[in-house]
Amino acid sequence: MSLAVASNGEDVTAGDLVDAIGPALAAGEPIPLPEGHAEVDPEELQAREGTYVLDSGGSYTVTATEDGLEAAAGGADAVAAMFASADFTAEDVAAHEALVAALLAGETDAGREELEAVEGDIGAIEEVRPAGTVEEQGELRTYVELVTAEETVLGWYALDERGGIGGVWLGAEPRRLRWCPPARASTAATSPGSATACGSPSRKTG
């Protein structure tokens, strides 16, 4: 695995960043955030609220918080843009998503049992939309939107080594990305998850 580190300021060099984050990366631990917190005018944060649409069709809905900006990902491509893992490859993600799709298509006994149970809770499922995959607590979790006549329910599925259901959560919150004020050097992926992630929307609507 290769790693590229760059600095966007003159006060901290790339070497300084490597010294700061290297031990955590080597140990597989969360990357530490820099100390300090910049004060930002709340009006400046509010001016950046809105929906930012990716060229690939997904979007981030940005809202201002006390700590900075928070973006909720909409669409599988927006969630995928946040994905970063030292343990899973793109092939692992694709395979997991395919197994979850087959499960919710009722192609296995376990899948048919799951559909029966879920539809007993939320009603007949008219469509299953993929909504991206994240790594959380050492496992892959594939998000899906379950569309019924009355509502669209966001949930995620984690599969075990045999392809069975290892975990499931219906009524999940959208994957969120938090932009901290400029004094902080990275962004934090939250709700669910605590892994660091970086990215920025490409264009804004509304």
Side-chain angles (χ1 to χ4, degrees):
M1 182 183 73
S2 60
L3 174 68
V5 177
S7 173
N8 62 354
E10 298 179 356
D11 295 334
V12 180
T13 68
D16 293 333
L17 290 176
V18 171
D19 291 340
I21 69 176
L25 285 174
E29 299 173 350
I31 296 175
L33 289 174
E35 297 180 357
H37 184 83
E39 296 296 330
V40 179
D41 186 342
E43 291 186 359
E44 291 186 14
L45 295 178
Q46 292 171 4
R48 288 165 173 76
E49 290 185 325
T51 299
Y52 293 79
V53 181
L54 300 174
D55 292 337
S56 50
S59 64
Y60 295 109
T61 300
V62 176
T63 55
T65 70
E66 293 182 357
D67 297 324
L69 295 174
E70 188 171 84
D77 52 343
V79 173
M82 297 181 184
F83 183 83
S85 172
D87 300 316
F88 297 100
T89 66
E91 290 74 18
D92 294 329
V93 171
H96 192 271
E97 291 178 342
L99 288 172
V100 171
L103 179 83
L104 296 178
E107 297 179 5
T108 64
D109 290 340
R112 287 185 284 273
E113 291 177 3
E114 176 66 11
L115 284 175
E116 182 177 354
V118 172
E119 290 186 330
D121 289 335
I122 67 174
I125 298 173
E126 299 180 349
E127 183 181 1
V128 178
R129 299 172 183 165
T133 297
V134 303
E135 179 188 3
E136 180 68 21
Q137 298 182 356
E139 66 183 7
L140 292 176
R141 295 178 178 178
T142 292
Y143 281 73
V144 292
E145 294 178 349
L146 305 177
V147 182
T148 72
E150 301 295 331
E151 61 180 339
T152 297
V153 178
L154 180 66
W156 58 258
Y157 283 83
L159 304 181
D160 59 27
E161 295 179 354
R162 299 180 180 179
I165 298 175
V168 59
W169 186 268
L170 300 182
E173 292 293 324
R175 181 71 168 170
R176 298 181 187 276
L177 187 70
R178 179 174 298 146
W179 280 273
C180 300
R184 301 195 178 205
S186 64
T187 56
T190 64
S191 185
S194 59
T196 56
C198 295
S200 60
S202 60
R203 54 192 174 90
K204 178 180 178 183
T205 64

